[in-house]
Amino acid sequence: MVLKVFFPTCCSSAESGILIGRWISEQNSAVILAVVHFPFIPGQVKQYLSQVQQVTKIKVSVLGSWSNSKQEKEESLSKFLEDLGTIFVHEPWIQISKERDSKFWSCSTLQKESNSSKEEEIILIYYDQRKVMLSQLHPPVDTTTDHKADDASKLAAMFDTVANSKILFMTDRYDDGPIKLTHWQSDGVEASIIVELLKQASSNCMIKERVLVTLEFVNKVQEMLKFWPLSFLWSKLSTCEQLGHRLQHLQIISSRKKAQNQTQLMRKANIFVSLLVDVALGILLMSWLYRKNRIGQLADTLIPVADHVAKELQDLLQWLMGAPAGLKMNRALDQVLGRFFLYHIHLWISYIHLMSPFIEMILWYVGLSTCLGLTVALCILSDIIALLTFHIYCFYVYGARLYCLKVYGLSSLWRLFRGKKWNVLRQRVDSCTYDLDQLFIGTLLFTILLFLLPTTALYYLVFTLLRLLVVVVQGLIHLLVDLIDSLPLYSIILRLCRSYRLAAGVKFRVLEQMHGKPLRLLMQINPLSYGSVVRTYSLPTYSCYPKDSWTSLCKKLFLGELIYPWKHKGEKQD
C-alpha cells in the first residue's frame, strides 16, 4: 500500500529534529504538523503532546525523524535520529532526510519488528500549512460517484487535522519553553492590528452598555408593533418589512452567542458587511440628495408628473367612453363607469394639490431615512409609488370586482341551463330540478350579463394592464433590494482577495520524480467558483410578494381575482 506523507513547506529549511503530527491509519497517511529540533527532553515532548491532544481531541504523536544535512556536519546524527525510534514508539517510524548537494529527498520507513529500514512506495506531498489551516473545505457538488465522496472524506480528514491544531502553532522558536518548534508561525505568532483594536473596543464597558440599551429598545419596539393597527401597517408597507429584516440582522450580529461552526461565522460576517455597505450607500445617497437643493427640485417635479399622469388617465377614460378601437359598447354602462372613474381622478388631483405645500417638507424628512441604508430608501420609493398610484389601484379593484361578479354570475347561470347547481357543503356540482319561472329569470339575467360583459371586460383589461405596470416597477425595485440583502459580500471579497479560504478541492503538481526516490508532489488549493460562493453563502431575504406560478397568475387574471402585492396569511401558493 502506498504511504502518503503530507509535509509542510515551511519545514523544508528547519533544523534536524523529530516530526510530530497525526497518523491516519485508514488512509495509510501521515500529516506532519511541526518539527521539534534539538535540544529537547523526550519526557517533556511527550507531556506537551498529551496536553495538545487533550485540547484538540486529535491524536498527535511523534511520527519520525527529520534530517537536514545542509545544516548538520556530524555524520553520527542520522544514527542518533534512528535511535529515537526506540524512545517514541510509533509504527511505522518515518525517516525524511534532505540530502546536501541534491534536490531529491530520501524518505523511508523503519519497522520496529525487523529493526531495519524498509523501502516502500512513498509519496511526499508538500502543502502550505497556513492556507490549509485557514481554508474551509466545501463538499463537492457532484457526489453521485463513490470515489469522489471517498476522496472528499480523505481530504476533509487532512484539512481538519491542520485546522484543529491551532494551539500547536501558538508556540514559536522564540518562546522560553523547553520545546522549540518549526511550523508556519515559528517566526512569531501572526496577528492583526484590526482584530486587536476590535478586542479592545469590545472590552469597553461603555460600548457594551450602549449595545445592550440599543437591543432592549429594539425589543420594545418589536413588542409594540405586534398590536393592531401597527401590525397591519407593518405587514403591508415594504419599508416596515425591510426595517424588521434589518433589525433581525442587528440582533444576529450583536448576539453574545458564539458561532458554533464556520458556516454560522461566515453568515455573521456576510450580514455585517452587507449592513455596512448598505448604510454606506444610503449615506452617499443622502449626501447627493441634500446637495444643490435636489430635494426641492424633486418636489417641484413631483406635482407636474402627477398632473400629467392624471391628464393621461382622463384622456384614456374619454377614449373608453366613446367607441374604443371601433367597438360597440353598452352606452349606458359605459357612461356610468367613465363618469365614476373621472370623478375619482378629480378627487385625486384635488388631494395632490392640497398636499403640494407639504411635499417638500415630507421629502426632506424622508431623505433623512436614507441613512438607514440604500435598501430602506428603495423600499420608501416603492411605497411612494404605491401611494402616488393609489387611484390606479382603486380603478383596478373596482373593475376586477365588477368583472369577477359577472364571470361568476354567468358560470352559475350556465349551470342552471344544464340543470345543475354548486353544492357548497360538499364542494361539488350536483344535479338539480328547476321550474319554469326560475329558468325564465335565469335566461333574462344570463342575457343581460352576457351583453354587459364586453364593456366591463374592456375597463377591466385596461386598468389591469396599468396595475401590472405599477407592480412590475415595484417588483424590479424589490428585486434590487433582495439582491443587496442576499448578496454574500464578505464571501465574495474573501474569494477575490484570499481565494484559498474557500476551498472546493485540491490539485497536485509533480515536482520531481526519480527511480528509487519518493515521488514529490505539491498540493495546491482549488478555490470555489463565484457562482458556488453565491449559492452557498447567500443570505435569506424576506419576500412580500406572492410567488405564484404563471398558470395561477393567468387563472386569477382571467377570473378577475385580485392580485395583491403582498402575501396573505393562509393563502395557498402553487
Side-chain angles (χ1 to χ4, degrees):
M1 191 174 182
V2 180
L3 173 63
K4 298 179 289 294
V5 179
F6 293 90
F7 193 86
T9 55
C10 56
C11 297
S12 299
S13 58
E15 300 176 359
S16 299
I18 55 177
L19 303 172
I20 60 174
R22 178 191 177 190
W23 172 258
I24 306 176
S25 58
E26 297 84 4
Q27 306 173 15
N28 196 34
S29 61
V31 181
I32 308 300
L33 298 175
V35 175
V36 180
H37 37 80
F38 304 105
F40 61 83
I41 301 175
Q44 292 179 344
V45 174
K46 292 181 179 180
Q47 183 180 2
Y48 176 72
L49 293 181
S50 64
Q51 294 175 356
V52 171
Q53 185 174 345
Q54 289 177 0
V55 176
T56 60
K57 307 300 180 182
I58 294 177
K59 189 176 181 180
V60 182
S61 59
V62 178
L63 301 180
S65 62
W66 158 255
S67 175
N68 190 348
S69 59
K70 290 185 178 180
Q71 298 181 3
E72 303 295 337
K73 299 180 179 179
E74 299 182 3
E75 297 180 355
S76 60
L77 180 63
S78 59
K79 180 62 177 174
F80 173 71
L81 292 175
E82 291 181 5
D83 295 338
L84 287 176
T86 60
I87 301 175
F88 301 100
V89 180
H90 186 269
E91 184 74 20
W93 182 259
I94 303 173
Q95 295 177 334
I96 303 177
S97 62
K98 188 176 181 181
E99 301 177 4
R100 177 170 299 180
D101 296 327
S102 175
K103 63 180 180 179
F104 294 101
W105 291 16
S106 63
C107 183
S108 61
T109 58
L110 180 65
Q111 303 295 333
K112 300 298 177 60
E113 297 178 356
S114 59
N115 197 20
S116 61
S117 297
K118 179 184 177 182
E119 296 293 337
E120 63 176 333
E121 188 176 357
I122 299 175
I123 299 178
L124 195 59
I125 304 172
Y126 297 95
Y127 71 95
D128 193 325
Q129 199 171 56
R130 177 177 178 273
K131 291 183 178 181
V132 172
M133 193 199 73
L134 296 177
S135 65
Q136 181 186 4
L137 183 63
H138 295 75
V141 179
D142 184 15
T143 57
T144 54
T145 55
D146 294 336
H147 71 276
K148 287 187 177 181
D150 187 43
D151 293 343
S153 63
K154 291 179 180 179
L155 281 176
M158 184 266 176
F159 273 71
D160 291 341
T161 300
V162 181
N164 294 329
S165 303
K166 292 182 180 180
I167 189 172
L168 185 67
F169 306 136
M170 299 305 292
T171 304
D172 55 50
R173 67 175 66 180
Y174 303 107
D175 286 338
D176 296 331
I179 299 176
K180 305 297 182 182
L181 298 176
T182 297
H183 46 76
W184 74 276
Q185 286 195 131
S186 56
D187 290 332
V189 178
E190 185 182 75
S192 172
I193 190 171
I194 298 177
V195 174
E196 296 298 327
L197 290 175
L198 289 176
K199 288 181 180 179
Q200 293 293 331
S202 63
S203 62
N204 195 332
C205 297
M206 184 178 296
I207 295 178
K208 287 184 177 179
E209 291 178 0
R210 294 285 178 86
V211 172
L212 290 176
V213 170
T214 305
L215 289 177
E216 290 179 0
F217 175 74
V218 168
N219 292 330
K220 289 181 180 179
V221 170
Q222 288 184 337
E223 290 294 330
M224 292 174 57
L225 293 174
K226 292 181 180 178
F227 299 99
W228 196 90
L230 294 178
S231 61
F232 178 79
L233 293 175
W234 188 267
S235 61
K236 296 299 182 286
L237 293 178
S238 57
T239 304
C240 298
E241 291 283 347
Q242 179 63 21
L243 287 175
H245 189 62
R246 285 307 189 190
L247 288 178
Q248 293 179 359
H249 284 174
L250 284 176
Q251 289 180 343
I252 291 174
I253 62 178
S254 303
S255 175
R256 296 180 178 180
K257 187 177 180 181
K258 188 178 179 180
Q260 300 296 326
N261 48 40
Q262 186 71 16
T263 303
Q264 293 183 3
L265 183 63
M266 292 289 289
R267 185 191 177 197
K268 280 190 174 183
N270 284 321
I271 289 175
F272 177 75
V273 174
S274 175
L275 191 61
L276 193 65
V277 172
D278 187 20
V279 172
L281 293 176
I283 293 175
L284 288 177
L285 178 61
M286 184 177 65
S287 64
W288 181 81
L289 286 175
Y290 287 94
R291 193 180 301 167
K292 298 181 181 179
N293 194 26
R294 288 191 174 91
I295 293 288
Q297 298 174 5
L298 184 61
D300 294 339
T301 309
L302 197 60
I303 299 300
V305 169
D307 288 339
H308 178 72
V309 172
K311 180 67 170 55
E312 292 295 330
L313 283 176
Q314 286 178 342
D315 294 340
L316 178 62
L317 287 173
Q318 292 292 342
W319 178 71
L320 291 176
M321 291 172 66
L327 298 175
K328 182 64 176 178
M329 312 298 292
N330 186 280
R331 182 69 178 175
L333 181 61
D334 193 13
Q335 292 295 321
V336 169
L337 292 177
R339 291 175 182 177
F340 176 76
F341 291 131
L342 284 174
Y343 179 69
H344 274 71
I345 293 176
H346 174 71
L347 291 178
W348 180 253
I349 293 175
S350 302
Y351 169 73
I352 291 295
H353 283 280
L354 184 65
M355 293 292 296
S356 58
F358 309 100
I359 286 181
E360 184 175 356
M361 182 180 64
I362 293 173
L363 290 179
W364 195 87
Y365 285 108
V366 167
L368 291 177
S369 62
T370 56
C371 65
L372 298 176
L374 179 62
T375 54
V376 176
L378 291 174
C379 290
I380 292 175
L381 176 62
S382 176
D383 291 334
I384 290 176
I385 292 175
L387 291 175
L388 292 179
T389 58
F390 184 71
H391 53 305
I392 297 178
Y393 175 72
C394 291
F395 295 164
Y396 163 70
V397 171
Y398 298 152
R401 290 302 185 190
L402 191 59
Y403 174 78
C404 183
L405 178 64
K406 292 187 176 181
V407 168
Y408 279 100
L410 288 172
S411 63
S412 299
L413 294 173
W414 177 249
R415 286 194 293 267
L416 183 142
F417 291 156
R418 295 182 297 151
K420 298 180 181 298
K421 71 171 184 178
W422 174 254
N423 192 330
V424 181
L425 296 178
R426 298 190 177 184
Q427 294 293 309
R428 67 182 186 184
V429 178
D430 294 335
S431 300
C432 182
T433 304
Y434 297 98
D435 55 19
L436 187 61
D437 294 337
Q438 290 174 330
L439 292 174
F440 178 71
I441 294 175
T443 304
L444 291 178
L445 292 177
F446 183 83
T447 305
I448 293 172
L449 291 178
L450 183 62
F451 281 102
L452 292 180
L453 182 63
T455 304
T456 308
L458 183 61
Y459 277 88
Y460 168 70
L461 176 63
V462 171
F463 292 128
T464 300
L465 293 176
L466 292 176
R467 176 60 187 165
L468 288 178
L469 180 62
V470 176
V471 170
V472 166
V473 173
Q474 289 182 296
L476 292 176
I477 294 175
H478 280 276
L479 282 178
L480 183 57
V481 171
D482 288 344
L483 178 63
I484 298 175
D485 284 341
S486 64
L487 200 62
L489 295 176
Y490 176 77
S491 300
I492 293 175
I493 294 172
L494 201 63
R495 170 62 179 84
L496 182 63
C497 300
R498 294 187 176 184
S499 58
Y500 61 86
R501 294 286 299 271
L502 304 174
V506 296
K507 59 183 178 181
F508 297 96
R509 183 166 62 89
V510 178
L511 296 179
E512 287 94 12
Q513 185 176 11
M514 182 179 178
H515 181 69
K517 298 292 182 179
L519 174 63
R520 296 171 63 190
L521 303 177
L522 178 62
M523 187 180 75
Q524 297 174 335
I525 295 177
N526 281 333
L528 275 177
S529 62
Y530 286 98
S532 300
V533 170
V534 173
R535 286 192 299 270
T536 305
Y537 295 106
S538 60
L539 298 173
T541 61
Y542 80 96
S543 197
C544 64
Y545 280 83
K547 297 180 180 179
D548 289 319
S549 62
W550 286 105
T551 305
S552 176
L553 181 63
C554 294
K555 181 181 177 181
K556 286 184 177 181
L557 291 175
F558 180 75
L559 296 178
E561 298 180 7
L562 293 181
I563 301 173
Y564 291 98
W566 53 76
K567 188 182 295 184
H568 292 276
K569 292 182 178 180
E571 183 181 8
K572 294 182 180 180
Q573 302 295 333
D574 294 338

